[in-house]
Amino acid sequence: MTGTDRHGRPYPPVDGDEVATLLGFLDHHRATLAWKCAGLDADALRVPVAASSITLGGLLKHMALVEALWFSLWLHGRSPGDPWVAVDWDADPDWAWRSAAGDSPEELRGLWEAAVARSRDLVAEALADGGLTRQAVVAPWPPDDVRPTLRWILLHMVEEYARHNGHADLIRESIDGQVGD
């Protein structure tokens, strides 16, 4: 199976090597989040489900942060960039989730799309410099100094997207009834 589904999501390769399969699943889940958030205005991106404060806009901003942390900061030891470096995370650990309500749909989508594009470049760079066994430069869990491999990071990102895409399913259905896999 090749190509994309009816929502424009790429199918992960069924006969690819390890790298192609990992990246295929990650891109499929990235595209799922993009699909769930497509065509919504600012009010719709702020809609939570039930008692949860999670919004689709918050998911876009949170995942942009997660992409920047895993692929820029921890994998390569580079700055995660703006807007993340200016945030006082100790004072407001939920800043990405909370501040999304003040951002336009274009800002949220643009932030996430730029983070994904940068992550793709950084993964390609890491694959060329050690492949899937290349370890992160910075330990994400100090003081343990545990530095996961690129393989682990990619699998973690698939899990992160899959988990949050479940949230996105519920939120999108509550907004306009749109459902799907």
Side-chain angles (χ1 to χ4, degrees), residues 107-174:
E107 289 170 321
L108 292 166
R109 289 184 191 105
L111 181 67
W112 176 74
E113 289 167 357
V116 167
R118 183 173 186 206
S119 293
R120 286 186 175 124
D121 291 343
L122 292 168
V123 167
E125 183 181 328
L127 286 169
D129 180 30
L132 291 173
T133 59
R134 184 187 185 282
Q135 283 189 295
V137 173
V138 176
W141 306 286
D144 296 333
D145 197 34
V146 175
R147 294 179 300 123
T149 63
L150 176 57
R151 175 184 290 108
W152 188 95
I153 293 169
L154 290 171
L155 286 169
H156 172 71
M157 289 298 292
V158 169
E159 177 271 334
E160 184 86 11
Y161 271 99
R163 181 166 47 97
H164 287 313
N165 283 337
H167 298 125
D169 281 338
L170 293 171
I171 297 167
R172 184 64 190 247
E173 183 177 6
S174 74

Side-chain angles (χ1 to χ4, degrees), residues 7 10 32 74 133 160 179:
H7 304 291
T32 298
W74 295 323
T133 59
E160 184 86 11
V179 296

Side-chain angles (χ1 to χ4, degrees), residues 31 33 36 48 58 73 90 93 107 109 117 151 173 181:
L33 182 59
K36 294 295 178 177
L73 181 61
D90 291 330
E107 289 170 321
R109 289 184 191 105
R151 175 184 290 108
E173 183 177 6
D181 57 354

Side-chain angles (χ1 to χ4, degrees), residues 35-57:
W35 163 48
K36 294 295 178 177
C37 297
L40 297 176
D41 64 14
D43 288 336
L45 287 175
R46 293 185 189 112
V47 173
V49 173
S52 175
S53 62
I54 294 175
T55 65
L56 289 174

